[in-house]
Amino acid sequence: MILAVGLNHYLVLSALIFSLGVLCMATKRNAIGILIGVELVLNAANINLVAFSKYNAGVGDGHIFAVFVILLAAAEAALAIAIFMNFYNTLRTIDVDRGDELRG
Amino acid sequence: MLASTTTTNPIWMPGGDELAYLGPLWALVATVVAVLLGALAVGRNWRVSAGIATFGGLLTAWLAYRGFSQAGFTNWAGMTPSAPAAPMLVADQFSYCFIFLISVFMVLVTGMWWLGQNAGLPEHLTRKQDSTEFFVLFVGSAFGMSLMVSTTNLLMIILAVEMASLPSYGITAFRKKHNLAAEASLKYVLFGAITSAIMIYGASLLYGQYHTLDLAAIGRQIAAETGQSGPTVLMGVSLVAFMSGIAFKVSAVPFHFWCPDVFEGASIEITTWLSVASKAAGLGLMLRVIAVLTCNLSSPDTLEYVSLAIAVMAAITCTWGNISAFRQTNLKRLLAFSSIAHAGYMLMAVAIIWHPEFGQTDMPAHPSFSALVFYITVYLMMNLGAFGVIALVYWSTGKETIDAFNGLARRSLPLTIAMVVFLFSLVGLPPMGGFFAKWWLLYALWEGNVVWLILVAVFNTLISLYYYARIARAMIFTDDGQPTVHAPISGQAAVTVCAILVLLTGTLSAGWLKDFSDNRSRGLYAIVRPVNQEPTANDQLDNDGSEEKIAEFSPDGGSEFE
């Protein structure tokens, strides 16, 4: 039996990826692991946007939004990784739990 | 006018008028480009970069200031008859006011940075060679913050928040080989990336439910939906997810964890910049988003929930900030918690924007918008001054802890007097500007019938007196024989001017600043009226429609007030 792929399939996929992303952000202690979780959530949002744009709205808003989100994700990753490098150069680790000098 | 004219031409190009409305934003973008080109033209010179940024900031401030006096300029850019009804960018008195404050503050922080460059700090902390990059990021974040206060479109809001956040991460990490800066920027970027990802996911859900990116249209559909069947879970979840990104910028509890760490780890100019500009932009955005989303709601229950949720968040933010500030010894960290507390006070103004009496034209302006503008203007000056004194002491002694202030009255009397003015203004004591800031806020809360929030604010003011007075006590009564502070004359003069301004806003200029705030908040005033009505001639309609809402409004303390 061949299922016709509809809006709900995309939404389930997106919700799944979102949950995986949140799980990843919550459990990883490595900064890059957390960043991967962020990217997963952004991609889940992208799937949502494109699916909604195709099935519901009928105008291209969501597609354009998704392009901007891809761009944002790239910019954010570039900056975040530069900051991770800086952190690594000073503290020789990217374990976020090791950054514990600022507290109180 | 808020006319709902739709264009017949699907491809709309902005005309000269619309582009001119965005003058201040153009000026900021041009400044970023000019800083880059300046480095190409004359080489990497920190004075040139700072000079271009100062000039660009002043130009932006002038363009925004000129906009204040434009006749009838209370409308949305792109709302001329030929333009689409759902603008990507909005230019009104309110957004111009925030752009004006942000760009003036940008110039002042540039001045502070200039003093820091001359303070004789080691090269890896000042990084004179990289001043071009610094100003590209710095002016870029100012541009992002200016965008934040001038849009009601989901996509533009997200782009603006990111445009403000990404350069802020960069300038937080600007001190190289510095453990605290590295750690602070790591926490900032991770926390910011997580909240912005959640925010974008929330925006995608909102888009899916309402098929549009325009917040005003989303607000109308939410109103229609809740009017029929009450709020749905999905609506609530997506709105909370979307608002979390804005709450992160405001550093409202529970999204405040980055704030003390970043403020302690960043260099002191950046701390000053983020403590005022980032929060002002976040509050401006939050106020506008909530006003636009809820202005058509007619269901009193829903309004009550939203209002109560924000009021509780404001109360917790305020109390949490003040209580955490108690045991701090690092002054930047102490003022970080103080800024969380002040964000809480300002959020209280956001919590009452639905009060139906506020929609009437016999009031000079919407009390909570006006209170917010007044508060931010005063907060800008007093926080700049307080951080300025801390910076001058830090550049002289190399310490940012409260011990560095011991015996400051003997070591530098002008700095002590100025600092006492700023501290008492931060508490909200007369005759400082902070008193009237709190006064108008409490007045708005009183008008909005939320007595319990007034009690929270007063209680917080009292407990905040303790830790501000602790600094004053260290300066005046604790002397452990540290050497005299040699602050540069220009720095002392700047701090003194700031103190005089804080005193003036609390005395002679208080009325002027109130008028200024009233006039600036009229622009946004129009949008809390129902969108399909004419904003100037609908007093009667508003009054009729709002009677039942008055009875149902106040979340908790309304009856006590009556």
Side-chain angles (χ1 to χ4, degrees):
Chain A
M1 186 176 91
I2 299 170
L3 280 172
V5 179
L7 176 59
N8 286 339
H9 297 84
Y10 288 107
L11 295 190
V12 169
L13 174 69
S14 145
L16 215 81
I17 295 180
F18 176 77
S19 318
L20 289 175
V22 170
L23 198 72
C24 187
M25 295 193 293
T27 53
K28 291 283 178 190
R29 297 275 59 99
N30 181 307
I32 292 179
I34 298 176
L35 189 66
I36 291 173
V38 170
E39 301 291 322
L40 282 178
V41 172
L42 288 175
N43 281 331
N46 271 347
I47 294 174
N48 260 353
L49 286 167
V50 175
F52 282 135
S53 181
K54 177 160 168 51
Y55 287 97
N56 276 351
V59 282
D61 290 9
H63 288 90
I64 293 172
F65 202 146
V67 172
F68 274 103
V69 173
I70 293 170
L71 185 146
L72 276 181
E76 204 164 59
L79 221 142
I81 288 174
I83 285 173
F84 298 164
M85 286 285 291
N86 184 35
F87 188 77
Y88 182 78
N89 284 338
T90 34
L91 288 130
R92 292 286 148 199
T93 174
I94 49 168
D95 184 346
V96 290
D97 283 343
R98 295 281 299 281
D100 55 359
E101 282 184 58
L102 295 166
R103 53 169 65 234
Chain B
M1 294 294 110
L2 294 171
S4 52
T5 329
T6 46
T7 167
T8 46
N9 183 358
I11 300 171
W12 170 79
M13 290 298 289
D17 285 351
E18 282 85 13
L19 292 181
Y21 278 136
L22 303 177
L25 295 174
W26 290 116
L28 278 174
V29 177
T31 311
V32 175
V33 177
V35 170
L36 278 172
L37 292 181
L40 275 180
V42 298
R44 302 172 74 86
N45 183 325
W46 63 273
R47 289 186 181 85
V48 172
S49 301
I52 295 173
T54 308
F55 178 76
L58 290 175
L59 179 69
T60 312
W62 176 72
L63 285 171
Y65 185 80
R66 209 186 48 156
F68 292 162
S69 57
Q70 282 176 12
F73 181 61
T74 54
N75 299 315
W76 304 49
M79 291 305 272
T80 48
S82 66
M88 298 292 276
L89 285 172
V90 175
D92 55 17
Q93 294 272 359
F94 193 73
S95 74
Y96 270 33
C97 168
F98 276 80
I99 295 175
F100 176 74
L101 292 176
I102 286 169
S103 51
V104 166
F105 194 62
M106 187 182 97
V107 172
L108 296 173
V109 172
T110 305
M112 196 170 159
W113 179 87
W114 189 298
L115 287 175
Q117 296 299 310
N118 289 325
L121 296 176
E123 171 61 28
H124 70 280
L125 295 184
T126 58
R127 297 187 65 188
K128 283 194 175 73
Q129 284 305 308
D130 300 323
S131 54
T132 311
E133 285 83 355
F134 176 82
F135 277 104
V136 168
L137 294 172
F138 180 54
V139 182
S141 71
F143 173 62
M145 290 165 192
S146 304
L147 274 182
M148 274 167 73
V149 291
S150 39
T151 177
T152 57
N153 183 288
L154 283 182
L155 174 58
M156 282 307 293
I157 288 172
I158 281 160
L159 287 179
V161 168
E162 294 289 323
M163 185 72 218
S165 293
L166 293 182
S168 305
Y169 308 149
I171 49 180
T172 304
F174 214 70
R175 294 198 284 186
K176 270 199 170 166
K177 302 281 172 206
H178 193 284
N179 288 0
L180 297 185
E183 185 188 329
S185 57
L186 181 83
K187 287 178 173 170
Y188 198 8
V189 75
L190 285 178
F191 210 80
I194 290 170
T195 46
S196 74
I198 304 273
M199 181 190 189
I200 293 173
Y201 195 79
S204 79
L205 290 179
L206 281 178
Y207 172 68
Q209 290 169 82
Y210 303 110
H211 310 171
T212 172
L213 294 177
D214 182 43
L215 273 183
I218 292 177
R220 282 195 291 276
Q221 293 187 49
I222 288 182
E225 200 180 317
T226 50
Q228 286 164 6
S229 54
T232 61
V233 176
L234 182 60
M235 178 200 295
V237 168
S238 47
L239 280 176
V240 167
F242 179 66
M243 295 306 284
S244 68
I246 305 175
F248 161 77
K249 294 304 284 180
V250 179
S251 76
V253 174
F255 302 98
H256 66 288
F257 295 105
W258 61 278
C259 186
D261 292 349
V262 168
F263 283 17
E264 188 179 344
S267 70
I268 193 154
E269 307 89 17
I270 305 310
T271 305
T272 316
W273 171 244
L274 293 177
S275 74
V276 177
S278 162
K279 287 189 190 196
L283 282 160
L285 174 61
M286 186 177 248
L287 191 63
R288 193 189 285 280
V289 165
I290 291 176
V292 170
L293 274 181
T294 54
C295 62
N296 287 304
L297 276 183
S298 52
S299 144
D301 281 348
T302 318
L303 278 176
E304 205 171 297
Y305 284 135
V306 180
S307 161
L308 185 63
I310 298 206
V312 166
M313 190 164 83
I316 294 176
T317 303
C318 186
T319 316
W320 185 286
N322 276 325
I323 289 177
S324 307
F326 264 63
R327 55 200 161 85
Q328 302 307 325
T329 50
N330 183 302
L331 285 171
K332 270 154 78 183
R333 201 173 177 85
L334 191 150
L335 282 190
F337 281 111
S338 136
S339 83
I340 294 178
H342 281 277
Y345 294 129
M346 291 187 255
L347 270 178
M348 289 178 183
V350 180
I352 49 163
I353 54 177
W354 299 276
H355 196 275
E357 279 175 30
F358 293 176
Q360 297 170 7
T361 42
D362 58 338
M363 284 191 172
H366 193 298
S368 65
F369 299 165
S370 173
L372 186 71
V373 172
F374 194 107
Y375 206 109
I376 285 175
T377 314
V378 174
Y379 183 63
L380 185 154
M381 288 182 292
M382 59 194 185
N383 222 28
L384 176 75
F387 274 114
V389 175
I390 295 174
L392 290 172
V393 172
Y394 167 66
W395 292 329
S396 171
T397 63
K399 284 197 291 183
E400 293 166 347
T401 50
I402 205 164
D403 308 340
F405 274 62
N406 283 348
L408 197 70
R410 172 183 56 77
R411 296 154 62 204
S412 173
L413 192 59
L415 289 188
T416 310
I417 295 172
M419 190 66 179
V420 168
V421 169
F422 301 134
L423 289 175
F424 285 172
S425 180
L426 283 166
V427 181
L429 295 180
M432 322 302 177
F435 171 73
F436 277 106
K438 287 236 169 63
W439 173 266
W440 290 118
L441 180 72
L442 295 182
Y443 167 78
L445 294 176
W446 181 259
E447 292 283 322
N449 286 0
V450 271
V451 174
W452 70 275
L453 214 48
I454 298 182
L455 294 179
V456 170
V458 170
F459 169 72
N460 269 289
T461 305
L462 288 179
I463 59 175
S464 74
L465 184 61
Y466 170 76
Y467 63 84
Y468 290 125
R470 201 156 61 106
I471 306 176
R473 196 189 62 191
M475 290 191 299
I476 298 166
F477 298 115
T478 319
D479 196 345
D480 53 6
Q482 295 182 60
T484 312
V485 172
H486 294 289
I489 297 296
S490 46
Q492 295 195 19
V495 172
T496 311
V497 169
C498 243
I500 292 172
L501 285 175
V502 169
L503 278 172
L504 274 179
T505 49
T507 51
L508 297 175
S509 310
W512 176 84
L513 189 56
K514 176 63 180 162
D515 286 345
F516 175 85
S517 320
D518 282 354
N519 289 331
R520 297 299 82 79
S521 39
R522 278 204 192 102
L524 194 58
Y525 195 29
I527 60 175
V528 288
R529 298 151 185 286
V531 169
N532 50 6
Q533 291 170 13
E534 198 66 20
T536 47
N538 60 346
D539 310 351
Q540 208 54 48
L541 289 168
D542 259 359
N543 292 349
D544 292 344
S546 56
E547 286 304 326
E548 62 272 29
K549 275 196 273 176
I550 294 175
E552 294 288 337
F553 173 75
S554 100
D556 195 352
S559 49
E560 293 167 36
F561 177 63
E562 297 301 323

